[in-house]
Amino acid sequence: MDLSIIIVSFNTKELLKKCLASIKEAEVIVIDNASSDGSLEMVKKEFPKVRLIVNEKNLGFAVANNQGIMAASGEEILLLNSDTEVKAGAIEGLIKFVKEHPEAGVIGARLLNPDGSIQPSVYHFPTILGAIKEYWLGQKVTYEKYVVTGFNPVRVEAVTGAAMLISKKTIEKIGFLDERYFMYFEDLDYC
């Protein structure tokens, strides 16, 4: 599999451990943003094949992901949150989809909560009309994440960065994540 998985960690030792244990085959790069909870030692001891990038201070989510992207060798890049656990076949499904649909710029995954319920994971782009509907008319459908219905892939405006597959071709065309976003909304901006 020609895939690099980029995981940013900041004091998420136990979550990161579960995440790394759930990944079977891929280049995995963990960027640690100055954790003080033993995350680095855990990765070095229990996952010696994982590439580590260690930041001396918390540089934020976008900067750290960009560091991982620059270090990655895969043609496909999966940005994955450290609090995720990969289900069997999920990564293979994403790779199969991107191979069948090379025109897709960014591909999101269906996210599940620990109880198996579907987690909202896609957004609409913000607009002035959407802001009016949301904040003046009280329609809560514009800025909140939502769940895609059905089980077939669909085109959406934006996906959450918790599990976001981007091809190197897309990165070459669009560029890296905007580092002015320390944390949150860099995924929406990228999409």
Side-chain angles (χ1 to χ4, degrees):
M1 197 178 323
D2 196 13
L3 172 70
S4 296
I5 300 176
I6 311 300
I7 303 169
V8 176
S9 177
F10 176 67
N11 291 325
T12 60
K13 178 182 172 183
E14 294 306 317
L15 294 170
L16 178 61
K17 183 176 181 177
K18 289 179 184 178
C19 178
L20 292 172
S22 73
I23 299 169
K24 302 305 175 209
E25 290 185 35
E27 173 188 50
V28 179
I29 302 170
V30 170
I31 301 86
D32 186 85
N33 266 338
S35 293
S36 59
D37 66 347
S39 294
L40 290 173
E41 295 77 14
M42 179 275 297
V43 172
K44 288 176 185 176
K45 180 181 177 188
E46 298 186 35
F47 302 95
K49 292 184 180 179
V50 168
R51 291 177 55 194
L52 261 173
I53 296 173
V54 180
N55 292 326
E56 292 183 16
K57 66 179 189 173
N58 187 347
L59 299 178
F61 191 73
V63 170
N65 270 306
N66 286 343
Q67 289 175 308
I69 291 168
M70 286 185 267
S73 63
E75 285 302 309
E76 310 302 332
I77 307 291
L78 177 61
L79 305 183
L80 189 65
N81 277 6
S82 62
D83 65 348
T84 59
E85 292 180 46
V86 177
K87 298 286 185 190
I91 290 176
E92 293 81 1
L94 286 172
I95 297 299
K96 181 177 186 267
F97 184 84
V98 78
K99 297 297 182 199
E100 293 172 356
H101 300 276
E103 76 285 358
V106 175
I107 300 167
R110 182 177 300 267
L111 303 179
L112 303 177
N113 293 308
D115 67 1
S117 61
I118 299 171
Q119 187 178 114
S121 61
V122 296
Y123 300 92
H124 293 290
F125 289 137
T127 63
I128 292 174
L129 179 59
I132 291 169
K133 287 180 179 179
E134 177 98 8
Y135 299 109
W136 288 347
L137 303 178
Q139 297 176 10
K140 298 289 182 191
V141 296
T142 305
Y143 291 109
E144 308 241 344
K145 287 186 273 186
Y146 66 94
V147 172
V148 173
T149 58
F151 289 96
N152 293 321
V154 297
R155 181 182 298 266
V156 297
E157 293 176 354
V159 300
T160 181
M164 190 163 93
L165 184 71
I166 311 169
S167 70
K168 278 260 178 107
K169 286 186 262 179
T170 298
I171 293 167
E172 289 167 6
K173 184 175 182 178
I174 304 298
F176 294 99
L177 298 175
D178 187 335
E179 295 182 358
R180 293 176 292 180
Y181 293 96
F182 183 81
M183 189 168 148
Y184 301 118
F185 300 108
E186 70 289 321
D187 47 5
L188 181 63
D189 175 71
Y190 197 82
C191 289

